[in-house]
mmCIF file of all heavy atoms in Angstrom:
data_model
loop_
_atom_site.group_PDB
_atom_site.id
_atom_site.type_symbol
_atom_site.label_atom_id
_atom_site.label_comp_id
_atom_site.label_asym_id
_atom_site.label_seq_id
_atom_site.Cartn_x
_atom_site.Cartn_y
_atom_site.Cartn_z
ATOM 1 N N ILE A 171 -17.433 -1.643 55.719
ATOM 2 C CA ILE A 171 -16.639 -2.813 56.096
ATOM 3 C C ILE A 171 -15.573 -2.422 57.111
ATOM 4 O O ILE A 171 -15.383 -3.106 58.127
ATOM 5 C CB ILE A 171 -16.003 -3.467 54.851
ATOM 6 C CG1 ILE A 171 -17.097 -4.095 53.969
ATOM 7 C CG2 ILE A 171 -14.972 -4.520 55.253
ATOM 8 C CD1 ILE A 171 -16.589 -4.620 52.637
ATOM 9 N N TYR A 172 -14.894 -1.312 56.848
ATOM 10 C CA TYR A 172 -13.826 -0.877 57.756
ATOM 11 C C TYR A 172 -14.353 -0.676 59.168
ATOM 12 O O TYR A 172 -13.757 -1.152 60.141
ATOM 13 C CB TYR A 172 -13.218 0.423 57.243
ATOM 14 C CG TYR A 172 -12.095 0.959 58.095
ATOM 15 C CD1 TYR A 172 -10.830 0.392 58.040
ATOM 16 C CD2 TYR A 172 -12.296 2.020 58.963
ATOM 17 C CE1 TYR A 172 -9.784 0.875 58.824
ATOM 18 C CE2 TYR A 172 -11.256 2.510 59.746
ATOM 19 C CZ TYR A 172 -10.014 1.934 59.671
ATOM 20 O OH TYR A 172 -8.990 2.407 60.465
ATOM 21 N N LEU A 173 -15.475 0.021 59.297
ATOM 22 C CA LEU A 173 -16.015 0.319 60.622
ATOM 23 C C LEU A 173 -16.505 -0.934 61.337
ATOM 24 O O LEU A 173 -16.625 -0.936 62.569
ATOM 25 C CB LEU A 173 -17.156 1.332 60.512
ATOM 26 C CG LEU A 173 -16.779 2.729 60.021
ATOM 27 C CD1 LEU A 173 -18.013 3.623 59.954
ATOM 28 C CD2 LEU A 173 -15.714 3.362 60.910
ATOM 29 N N ASN A 174 -16.783 -1.996 60.586
ATOM 30 C CA ASN A 174 -17.292 -3.221 61.194
ATOM 31 C C ASN A 174 -16.231 -4.283 61.470
ATOM 32 O O ASN A 174 -16.523 -5.255 62.177
ATOM 33 C CB ASN A 174 -18.389 -3.820 60.309
ATOM 34 C CG ASN A 174 -19.743 -3.194 60.561
ATOM 35 O OD1 ASN A 174 -20.399 -3.487 61.566
ATOM 36 N ND2 ASN A 174 -20.169 -2.315 59.669
ATOM 37 N N ILE A 175 -15.030 -4.114 60.922
ATOM 38 C CA ILE A 175 -13.996 -5.129 61.177
ATOM 39 C C ILE A 175 -12.785 -4.575 61.917
ATOM 40 O O ILE A 175 -11.915 -5.343 62.332
ATOM 41 C CB ILE A 175 -13.528 -5.820 59.877
ATOM 42 C CG1 ILE A 175 -12.803 -4.833 58.954
ATOM 43 C CG2 ILE A 175 -14.691 -6.493 59.162
ATOM 44 C CD1 ILE A 175 -12.166 -5.489 57.733
ATOM 45 N N ALA A 176 -12.728 -3.267 62.092
ATOM 46 C CA ALA A 176 -11.598 -2.687 62.820
ATOM 47 C C ALA A 176 -11.603 -3.167 64.268
ATOM 48 O O ALA A 176 -12.669 -3.329 64.877
ATOM 49 C CB ALA A 176 -11.673 -1.163 62.779
ATOM 50 N N ALA A 177 -10.422 -3.405 64.823
ATOM 51 C CA ALA A 177 -10.308 -3.768 66.235
ATOM 52 C C ALA A 177 -10.507 -2.517 67.078
ATOM 53 O O ALA A 177 -9.803 -1.526 66.904
ATOM 54 C CB ALA A 177 -8.935 -4.388 66.508
ATOM 55 N N TRP A 178 -11.491 -2.579 68.024
ATOM 56 C CA TRP A 178 -11.843 -1.390 68.785
ATOM 57 C C TRP A 178 -11.906 -1.659 70.276
ATOM 58 O O TRP A 178 -12.639 -1.001 71.006
ATOM 59 C CB TRP A 178 -13.169 -0.820 68.297
ATOM 60 C CG TRP A 178 -13.010 0.523 67.652
ATOM 61 C CD1 TRP A 178 -12.331 1.592 68.157
ATOM 62 C CD2 TRP A 178 -13.521 0.935 66.381
ATOM 63 N NE1 TRP A 178 -12.381 2.651 67.282
ATOM 64 C CE2 TRP A 178 -13.104 2.284 66.185
ATOM 65 C CE3 TRP A 178 -14.298 0.318 65.413
ATOM 66 C CZ2 TRP A 178 -13.441 3.011 65.053
ATOM 67 C CZ3 TRP A 178 -14.627 1.047 64.290
ATOM 68 C CH2 TRP A 178 -14.203 2.366 64.116
ATOM 69 N N GLY A 179 -11.136 -2.634 70.714
ATOM 70 C CA GLY A 179 -11.095 -2.929 72.139
ATOM 71 C C GLY A 179 -9.945 -3.864 72.454
ATOM 72 O O GLY A 179 -9.384 -4.487 71.547
ATOM 73 N N PRO A 180 -9.589 -3.988 73.719
ATOM 74 C CA PRO A 180 -8.407 -4.771 74.093
ATOM 75 C C PRO A 180 -8.642 -6.271 74.188
ATOM 76 O O PRO A 180 -7.700 -7.037 74.313
ATOM 77 C CB PRO A 180 -8.073 -4.205 75.482
ATOM 78 C CG PRO A 180 -9.401 -3.804 76.043
ATOM 79 C CD PRO A 180 -10.202 -3.310 74.870
ATOM 80 N N ALA A 181 -9.911 -6.706 74.122
ATOM 81 C CA ALA A 181 -10.193 -8.123 74.357
ATOM 82 C C ALA A 181 -11.108 -8.692 73.274
ATOM 83 O O ALA A 181 -12.096 -9.360 73.563
ATOM 84 C CB ALA A 181 -10.828 -8.303 75.738
ATOM 85 N N GLY A 182 -10.781 -8.408 72.018
ATOM 86 C CA GLY A 182 -11.527 -8.996 70.918
ATOM 87 C C GLY A 182 -12.778 -8.253 70.521
ATOM 88 O O GLY A 182 -13.663 -8.842 69.910
ATOM 89 N N GLU A 183 -12.867 -6.960 70.843
ATOM 90 C CA GLU A 183 -14.003 -6.147 70.400
ATOM 91 C C GLU A 183 -13.725 -5.638 68.982
ATOM 92 O O GLU A 183 -12.810 -4.850 68.776
ATOM 93 C CB GLU A 183 -14.240 -4.969 71.343
ATOM 94 C CG GLU A 183 -14.726 -5.346 72.726
ATOM 95 C CD GLU A 183 -13.608 -5.708 73.684
ATOM 96 O OE1 GLU A 183 -12.436 -5.496 73.306
ATOM 97 O OE2 GLU A 183 -13.877 -6.203 74.786
ATOM 98 N N PHE A 184 -14.517 -6.093 68.047
ATOM 99 C CA PHE A 184 -14.343 -5.706 66.648
ATOM 100 C C PHE A 184 -15.588 -4.962 66.166
ATOM 101 O O PHE A 184 -16.712 -5.355 66.458
ATOM 102 C CB PHE A 184 -14.118 -6.933 65.761
ATOM 103 C CG PHE A 184 -12.772 -7.574 65.943
ATOM 104 C CD1 PHE A 184 -12.587 -8.533 66.922
ATOM 105 C CD2 PHE A 184 -11.701 -7.211 65.140
ATOM 106 C CE1 PHE A 184 -11.338 -9.135 67.096
ATOM 107 C CE2 PHE A 184 -10.455 -7.797 65.308
ATOM 108 C CZ PHE A 184 -10.272 -8.762 66.297
ATOM 109 N N GLY A 185 -15.355 -3.913 65.406
ATOM 110 C CA GLY A 185 -16.452 -3.164 64.833
ATOM 111 C C GLY A 185 -16.936 -2.045 65.731
ATOM 112 O O GLY A 185 -16.750 -2.049 66.953
ATOM 113 N N ALA A 186 -17.596 -1.083 65.094
ATOM 114 C CA ALA A 186 -18.040 0.116 65.801
ATOM 115 C C ALA A 186 -19.048 -0.190 66.894
ATOM 116 O O ALA A 186 -19.036 0.439 67.960
ATOM 117 C CB ALA A 186 -18.642 1.095 64.791
ATOM 118 N N GLN A 187 -19.934 -1.158 66.653
ATOM 119 C CA GLN A 187 -20.967 -1.447 67.640
ATOM 120 C C GLN A 187 -20.360 -2.018 68.925
ATOM 121 O O GLN A 187 -20.662 -1.549 70.029
ATOM 122 C CB GLN A 187 -21.997 -2.427 67.057
ATOM 123 C CG GLN A 187 -23.202 -2.687 67.929
ATOM 124 C CD GLN A 187 -24.201 -1.553 67.912
ATOM 125 O OE1 GLN A 187 -23.895 -0.429 67.505
ATOM 126 N NE2 GLN A 187 -25.413 -1.823 68.368
ATOM 127 N N ALA A 188 -19.502 -3.005 68.786
ATOM 128 C CA ALA A 188 -18.858 -3.590 69.966
ATOM 129 C C ALA A 188 -17.944 -2.581 70.636
ATOM 130 O O ALA A 188 -17.873 -2.511 71.871
ATOM 131 C CB ALA A 188 -18.064 -4.842 69.564
ATOM 132 N N GLY A 189 -17.247 -1.767 69.815
ATOM 133 C CA GLY A 189 -16.358 -0.762 70.380
ATOM 134 C C GLY A 189 -17.101 0.298 71.160
ATOM 135 O O GLY A 189 -16.679 0.721 72.237
ATOM 136 N N ALA A 190 -18.243 0.763 70.628
ATOM 137 C CA ALA A 190 -19.032 1.788 71.310
ATOM 138 C C ALA A 190 -19.637 1.248 72.594
ATOM 139 O O ALA A 190 -19.675 1.950 73.621
ATOM 140 C CB ALA A 190 -20.135 2.294 70.383
ATOM 141 N N ARG A 191 -20.096 0.015 72.560
ATOM 142 C CA ARG A 191 -20.679 -0.568 73.775
ATOM 143 C C ARG A 191 -19.613 -0.786 74.844
ATOM 144 O O ARG A 191 -19.861 -0.571 76.038
ATOM 145 C CB ARG A 191 -21.391 -1.878 73.444
ATOM 146 C CG ARG A 191 -22.632 -1.672 72.582
ATOM 147 C CD ARG A 191 -23.642 -2.778 72.759
ATOM 148 N NE ARG A 191 -24.837 -2.545 71.955
ATOM 149 C CZ ARG A 191 -25.834 -1.738 72.284
ATOM 150 N NH1 ARG A 191 -25.760 -1.053 73.412
ATOM 151 N NH2 ARG A 191 -26.885 -1.602 71.496
ATOM 152 N N TYR A 192 -18.414 -1.203 74.419
ATOM 153 C CA TYR A 192 -17.342 -1.405 75.382
ATOM 154 C C TYR A 192 -16.892 -0.084 76.000
ATOM 155 O O TYR A 192 -16.707 0.028 77.215
ATOM 156 C CB TYR A 192 -16.148 -2.085 74.717
ATOM 157 C CG TYR A 192 -14.931 -2.145 75.615
ATOM 158 C CD1 TYR A 192 -14.842 -3.094 76.631
ATOM 159 C CD2 TYR A 192 -13.883 -1.226 75.479
ATOM 160 C CE1 TYR A 192 -13.745 -3.131 77.478
ATOM 161 C CE2 TYR A 192 -12.794 -1.258 76.325
ATOM 162 C CZ TYR A 192 -12.727 -2.217 77.317
ATOM 163 O OH TYR A 192 -11.643 -2.244 78.154
ATOM 164 N N ALA A 193 -16.716 0.938 75.167
ATOM 165 C CA ALA A 193 -16.159 2.212 75.642
ATOM 166 C C ALA A 193 -17.188 3.074 76.366
ATOM 167 O O ALA A 193 -16.881 3.700 77.389
ATOM 168 C CB ALA A 193 -15.556 2.993 74.474
ATOM 169 N N PHE A 194 -18.431 3.111 75.845
ATOM 170 C CA PHE A 194 -19.398 4.085 76.356
ATOM 171 C C PHE A 194 -20.732 3.478 76.772
ATOM 172 O O PHE A 194 -21.622 4.206 77.213
ATOM 173 C CB PHE A 194 -19.657 5.161 75.283
ATOM 174 C CG PHE A 194 -18.397 5.783 74.738
ATOM 175 C CD1 PHE A 194 -18.013 5.563 73.416
ATOM 176 C CD2 PHE A 194 -17.583 6.566 75.540
ATOM 177 C CE1 PHE A 194 -16.850 6.131 72.908
ATOM 178 C CE2 PHE A 194 -16.419 7.132 75.040
ATOM 179 C CZ PHE A 194 -16.053 6.907 73.725
ATOM 180 N N GLY A 195 -20.882 2.161 76.601
ATOM 181 C CA GLY A 195 -22.126 1.517 77.000
ATOM 182 C C GLY A 195 -23.314 1.942 76.162
ATOM 183 O O GLY A 195 -24.441 2.006 76.662
ATOM 184 N N LYS A 196 -23.083 2.254 74.896
ATOM 185 C CA LYS A 196 -24.163 2.704 74.023
ATOM 186 C C LYS A 196 -23.971 2.170 72.624
ATOM 187 O O LYS A 196 -22.904 1.634 72.278
ATOM 188 C CB LYS A 196 -24.229 4.232 73.997
ATOM 189 C CG LYS A 196 -22.956 4.904 73.448
ATOM 190 C CD LYS A 196 -23.156 6.389 73.198
ATOM 191 C CE LYS A 196 -23.480 7.174 74.447
ATOM 192 N NZ LYS A 196 -23.551 8.640 74.163
#
């Protein structure tokens, strides 16, 4: 749950998947 709801980007990216795609494109 933590990895999927944590804020991981500056424009509403939540969760590891959105954060990884935003930061590294993967």
Side-chain angles (χ1 to χ4, degrees):
I171 292 173
Y172 181 77
L173 295 180
N174 276 284
I175 66 173
W178 246 311
E183 292 85 9
F184 288 87
Q187 187 76 343
R191 293 206 178 279
Y192 172 78
F194 308 112
K196 62 169 62 175

